[in-house]
Amino acid sequence: MPTTRKKANAPAPAPPSERDPALLRRIYETMVLTRAVEDRMVAMYKGGDLLGSLYTGHWHEAISVGAAAALRPDDYLAPIHRDLGAHLWRGMEPWQVMASFMGKATSPTGGRDGTLHYGRLDLNIYNLPSHIPANYPVAIGMGFAAKYRGEDRVSLAFCGDGSTSRADWHESLNIASVLKLPCVFVVENNQFAYSTPLQLQSASENFAIKAVAYGMPGVKVDGTDALAVYDATAEAVARARAGDGPSLIEAVTMRMHGHAEHDPADYVPREMLEEWSKKDPVELFERTLLEAGVLDDAAVKSVRGQARQHAIDARKKAMADPMPDPTTVEVGVYAD
Amino acid sequence: MPTTRKKANAPAPAPPSERDPALLRRIYETMVLTRAVEDRMVAMYKGGDLLGSLYTGHWHEAISVGAAAALRPDDYLAPIHRDLGAHLWRGMEPWQVMASFMGKATSPTGGRDGTLHYGRLDLNIYNLPSHIPANYPVAIGMGFAAKYRGEDRVSLAFCGDGSTSRADWHESLNIASVLKLPCVFVVENNQFAYSTPLQLQSASENFAIKAVAYGMPGVKVDGTDALAVYDATAEAVARARAGDGPSLIEAVTMRMHGHAEHDPADYVPREMLEEWSKKDPVELFERTLLEAGVLDDAAVKSVRGQARQHAIDARKKAMADPMPDPTTVEVGVYAD
Amino acid sequence: MPTDNGNATYLDAVGLALEHEMDADPDVFIIGEDVGQFGGAFKVTKGFLEKFGARRVVDTPIAETGFTGLAAGAALVGLRPVVEFQFADFISCAFDPIVNVLARHHFRTGDPMPVTMRAPFGARLRAGPTHSQSVESYFAHVPGLKIVMPGTPEDAAGLLISSIRDNNPVLYLENKYLYRRLRASGPIPLEPIPLGQAKVVREGTDITLVTYSAGVSQGLEVAAELDKEGVSVEVVDLRTLVPLDVETIVASVKKTSRAVVLHEAALRMGYGAEITAVIQSECFWHLDQPVARIAAKNTPTPTSPPLEDAVVPQPAEIAQVLRKVATA
Amino acid sequence: MPTDNGNATYLDAVGLALEHEMDADPDVFIIGEDVGQFGGAFKVTKGFLEKFGARRVVDTPIAETGFTGLAAGAALVGLRPVVEFQFADFISCAFDPIVNVLARHHFRTGDPMPVTMRAPFGARLRAGPTHSQSVESYFAHVPGLKIVMPGTPEDAAGLLISSIRDNNPVLYLENKYLYRRLRASGPIPLEPIPLGQAKVVREGTDITLVTYSAGVSQGLEVAAELDKEGVSVEVVDLRTLVPLDVETIVASVKKTSRAVVLHEAALRMGYGAEITAVIQSECFWHLDQPVARIAAKNTPTPTSPPLEDAVVPQPAEIAQVLRKVATA
Ligand SMILES: Cc1ncc(C[n+]2csc(CCOP(=O)(O)OP(=O)(O)O)c2C)c(N)n1
Ligand SMILES: Cc1ncc(C[n+]2csc(CCOP(=O)(O)OP(=O)(O)O)c2C)c(N)n1
Ligand SMILES: [Mg+2]
Ligand SMILES: [Mg+2]
């Protein structure tokens, strides 16, 4: 199986101590902020601040931040509803995300769309519709444009395990590989698709191995390990930039909350949650950096404190922001 | 790569001399008839007898007949535009096929549909629309019904190499494998999809290997060898009947005519056609049976003669048949 | 399982009818995403897995094209699939098999195609542009499909029973805003209600309101208000869009001489266009005023409350249009 | 490459306009099945690969969902993709991205989405139920999409240029029956023709025929015949269905007081429904007769000539309806 072979051949990853501490710090800070903002939004959901339901990415932080960190700011990103971390890495403001879940005029869509639909093209991020994984064909199109223009930009698309069953996923990987597009496809395997467990979703050995059907490399990594995700993405990105075509990455984690906050998820075996609760990506990375001496307890304390305060301030602003003006709702159905 | 491994482990196929001569004879006769009918229809196309274009299956005879022969009459079949042989094996009358290409009232659809759309459900054959491979989801549905009812019927679907790029193909193989449906998927790799060569269609090593993405066995066979196709299909059918789920078979051949008769196919390298012209599946199988003593020259002569006459008589009848009555065209849009 | 306590919701009614048909016919099964253990996104099939087992309550991968085509194949060989789309918005992913496989097959071949497609649709839940669509107009042009859109719990049950027993592909659209807001008065009769029969749900003399789905309860409330002003509104609930009960519409409009069509879908090429075209052709000489259409604005459905409320028809607008046309 | 010899066909006109825009703007590219070496199923892009290279003339695998979404992504970051569907029937496989990605994106985000989708559609070629569809009604309800359906070689060129330059997703539907049957009189002006402007292609006084695409030449022929009988028909060519040029339609109908709508698509929820609804609402007090709709029967398009001819509108039927409405 190419995927295991591939992993076997891969060089041992550089120890944290030998990596750029500024980068490690920024990855850590973004993961902490992601967690703080989502925890705050869960409270807001329970408190009735939000319009509809809330999708969170608990235990996806190492994937969304680790992968985004391996890209350049001008690379294209097509995240999903678990990837707040990738948005924050790119500079999305937490209050904008909250404003989106509240339908405020200040949300990136001005309240026309809402909830998880807040991607900002000015940050080279695609704002996806509900249909999954509609961001896949769009992502290969952004990669196509980069290649068309002779730029060395790369396009990275996330999706979930369940999304691999769909038309968009298959047709996108096939086209991208045939046209050798500079794309990276990341499957966030969090064990469930809404209530559907893996064995009702796919009969393949894993998701990485599906790369064989498209003649591209596929690799499976620990999605709770930010550096493992970073390294796998960096390798795939280098390949894409060099003009060698797309790669598939399966990052394995667990969906620790319901599909969305309205979902008690009692279909998830309790033992499974207990097992995975020991693998909190934020804590794991924090420990790694403490052990590597990149962080000390004081630094951890201040990062966590700042993140908490940032989330509180973001809520204040979002709450205070106005709702949109309905009189212009018919404007802008068509572009000039 | 599982597919080669699989072939390596497979037992050596039984020599023709050790097989049921009646079965071999019937396969041969059906392949010869298929060729005779299609050659006749090519003449009809050139002579202006037909309504639109004509799709033929030259060099697909060993696949369509070999695979169909490995099924029971009550197994479900979902053929495509290269599979006249499968229809004839099931008992479709050549004149009905000609009537379909002429829009006659006597075609299986009464002239409502035409050309290649002549499948008869009374022969457990699905009549597909133009969209490829729309027969794939339908085929898994027929397999689903068999399993639902506890019957040991199998459902077999054909498609071309180009059809593997589409939504229907991916979603069908994935669902069939997850639900362990009694299905056999046959990809007729004839090197082209209309004008599109393989390397612009898929970047995978071959088509059989795509089975890995669905966790099902995949095998690649010589599509010009009727017995190789028969054996691979028989193995897949046995697996499906036993409740062990679907399999994928790639049968390699060449599209010796244009996509349809209107297409001069000057995009096909001449050398390629010359190479493949040496691998006429009908002649190859004829030689095999002569060498095995299953046939002698007299038998060959009479089989070929009868097929020729059958095609001539079929044309006579189809030509003489009436066009449909337009007065009832609005009847039957809805079933009672 | 849903139980009929005498005031079942619209949601309960759908579940009760589905259970009834699965009890009655072993060839009926339900297939879709998360319909099993989870009981469906809106809980219509809650308890079905326990009662009927995984053979007849089939969870699928996320593959709308694939499982809709699967249903077609199963129906062709004698089963009666009921397909659940998690949200009607996602039926777009099955547009191809619905239009080219399910809808055309009987005309092409004479084979029956008994597939019922259930989909929760509609706005007013702040769910935004890709979770709030009214999808009937995507399909109403397609020959071979039937389209059913109940506006009451009683009709939801009776029409689902008929849809499942019908030998054609039926698009059965459930207004998810009504799911827990509408309740039956009394036990739900689990009897088939024939497809293609509209119903005069309120008699009136001044003007005819032709509507369906959520428009029915909405229209009845407004009609009651207008009655106090002395405007007598007759409300016609189409119940089935295809086939369309032209007779009932025409009879009402010939009586009142004025007509307004109401739906939640966007105006342009909403089904109101077809209804209006039919009325003006069949009742031209009886009409005292042009037929008016009340519909959502020609925009996607926005998420934010003030925006969504500005796009989707509100009672005040409905009352105003009815008043204007009735008294002009 | 197509050359303008002074009597270019409808097909040549499409190719000339596409080449013109690819010459003018390096961000314009064509993508689809067999558009390269083969030059497309109908040969619209014959010679394009040689002239523009594989970078801008992109052959794709058979994957309508995928390459339509690809076009959306490329457009979002500044390119101007022209997507070719081999037959309009296959656009059903891209319905989801067209409706949920391309059409809604600008309203949701404010980003432009300049994608032109070319598709050969229509009947009368004995191609049967899944190779002859008129697809405009599948999309006309969808906010955010423009729909262009030229009826002459000149319009085919000018409207394609405008479609490619438009910052919105445009569905540009080519009537394949006209490809080699219609010829321009004189060289084709390669100038943009604004979208959303209908054109009175024949002046008349007794009745207005509102039509588009193949209905234009068909209608003009019939109008010429009726003229001999003393029936003066004004023919309005919509050219663009969305946005709809209501003014031109209304002005004509107010002048003639009678209107007939003609299209090749099936009657129920054909675009004639919307046009009829608009006319009866805008011109109610001017109408001497109800608006009549001439359209295909509500069946799939059959293959066999006698059946297809019975389903698709024929000149005799068109003449008869115009005569009846004009003289009633
Ligand atoms: C085409 C389509 N079908 C169904 C849905 C409803 N839906 C939303 S998310 C989801 C599960 C997605 O699972 P997965 O891809 O694993 O992502 P996860 O939510 O687990 O991160 C489903 C079924 C959808 N959004 N789009
Ligand atoms: C969804 C869809 N897109 C495009 C077409 C047009 N088309 C018909 S056959 C064909 C090529 C099919 O190639 P392949 O699957 O290899 O089968 P082959 O004809 O080579 O046997 C194409 C593109 C179609 N029928 N359906
Ligand atoms: Mg998941
Ligand atoms: Mg092929």
Side-chain angles (χ1 to χ4, degrees), chain C residues 20-319:
Chain C
H20 183 268
E21 289 307 285
M22 289 181 71
D23 281 333
D25 184 348
D27 290 334
V28 177
F29 69 97
I30 172 89
I31 183 167
E33 293 151 11
D34 307 293
V35 295
Q37 180 184 359
F38 194 59
F42 292 93
K43 301 301 178 188
V44 169
T45 56
K46 194 160 185 298
F48 278 55
L49 179 66
E50 292 68 14
K51 174 170 178 177
F52 296 107
R55 179 173 148 276
R56 298 182 66 193
V57 183
V58 185
D59 273 323
T60 64
I62 305 171
E64 285 78 5
T65 301
F67 65 69
T68 303
L70 182 156
L76 268 184
V77 298
L79 299 185
R80 295 192 164 275
V82 178
V83 174
E84 174 175 301
F85 292 95
Q86 201 158 72
F87 282 78
D89 303 76
F90 308 137
I91 204 169
S92 57
C93 303
F95 185 80
D96 173 48
I98 293 171
V99 169
N100 295 300
V101 174
L102 281 76
R104 279 167 171 59
H105 191 79
H106 179 70
F107 179 82
R108 293 172 55 233
T109 65
D111 309 326
M113 182 58 77
V115 176
T116 301
M117 295 168 278
R118 296 182 38 241
F121 81 97
R124 297 190 283 169
L125 294 176
R126 317 320 190 187
T130 49
H131 259 89
S132 309
Q133 293 171 65
S134 290
V135 301
E136 64 269 28
S137 286
Y138 300 156
F139 296 98
H141 179 62
V142 181
L145 270 182
K146 294 187 179 182
I147 303 181
V148 176
M149 299 183 71
T152 68
E154 292 80 359
D155 284 349
L159 291 170
L160 180 55
I161 292 172
S162 295
S163 298
I164 293 172
R165 296 182 187 179
D166 198 278
N167 282 327
N168 298 283
V170 178
L171 194 55
Y172 176 92
L173 299 172
E174 302 162 17
N175 191 304
K176 59 185 189 280
Y177 180 81
L178 302 181
Y179 267 156
R180 295 183 168 81
R181 286 179 175 77
L182 281 193
R183 289 188 169 279
S185 41
I188 304 243
L190 292 173
E191 293 300 326
I193 295 173
L195 304 187
Q197 291 185 8
K199 184 180 182 184
V200 176
V201 290
R202 177 193 175 97
E203 304 247 339
T205 53
D206 299 334
I207 186 166
T208 298
L209 176 66
V210 180
T211 187
Y212 55 89
S213 195
V216 177
S217 34
Q218 225 181 6
L220 286 171
E221 281 167 29
V222 172
E225 284 308 309
L226 288 177
D227 199 57
K228 300 180 190 143
E229 303 175 16
V231 179
S232 169
V233 181
E234 178 149 303
V235 181
V236 175
D237 176 0
L238 291 181
R239 308 200 293 185
T240 303
L241 272 62
V242 181
L244 180 64
D245 180 355
V246 174
E247 293 64 27
T248 301
I249 299 171
V250 168
S252 176
V253 176
K254 284 188 175 172
K255 184 177 84 175
T256 63
S257 306
R258 292 157 196 257
V260 169
V261 184
L262 165 68
H263 55 59
E264 191 183 302
L267 179 72
R268 188 183 62 243
M269 280 291 272
Y271 204 62
E274 179 66 26
I275 298 164
T276 301
V278 167
I279 292 175
Q280 73 87 41
S281 115
E282 301 303 310
C283 309
F284 187 76
W285 305 107
H286 296 74
L287 284 174
D288 293 341
Q289 286 289 319
V291 182
R293 291 185 286 169
I294 307 173
K297 295 192 166 56
N298 290 324
T299 75
T301 309
T303 303
S304 191
L307 300 183
E308 184 173 39
D309 293 345
V311 164
V312 177
Q314 302 298 321
E317 177 195 3
I318 300 167

Side-chain angles (χ1 to χ4, degrees), chain B residues 103 111-112 130-131 166 195-196, chain D residues 34 62 89 130-131 297 303-304:
Chain B
R112 290 187 164 199
S130 298
H131 299 59
R166 281 210 61 251
S195 77
T196 307
Chain D
D34 307 293
I62 305 171
D89 303 75
T130 49
H131 259 88
K297 295 192 165 58
T303 303
S304 191

Side-chain angles (χ1 to χ4, degrees), chain B residues 140-156:
Chain B
I140 68 169
M142 297 190 294
F144 176 93
K147 181 173 181 175
Y148 185 92
R149 294 207 161 117
E151 301 168 344
D152 70 346
R153 291 165 132 184
V154 164
S155 180
L156 184 146

Side-chain angles (χ1 to χ4, degrees), chain A residues 25-41 44 61 84 88 92-95 98 282 286 298-316:
Chain A
R25 218 171 201 302
R26 190 174 158 215
I27 292 174
Y28 170 69
E29 287 165 1
T30 310
M31 288 172 68
V32 170
L33 180 62
T34 303
R35 178 66 57 83
V37 170
E38 290 197 326
D39 286 342
R40 179 62 42 177
M41 286 200 291
M44 291 167 75
E61 299 89 348
L84 174 62
L88 296 179
M92 170 75 67
E93 289 291 343
W95 62 263
M98 294 173 178
V282 183
E286 188 174 87
V300 166
K301 200 152 168 305
S302 87
V303 169
R304 293 220 173 235
Q306 279 169 32
R308 198 169 154 282
Q309 192 54 48
H310 194 156
I312 291 168
D313 299 342
R315 174 174 183 275
K316 267 211 200 66

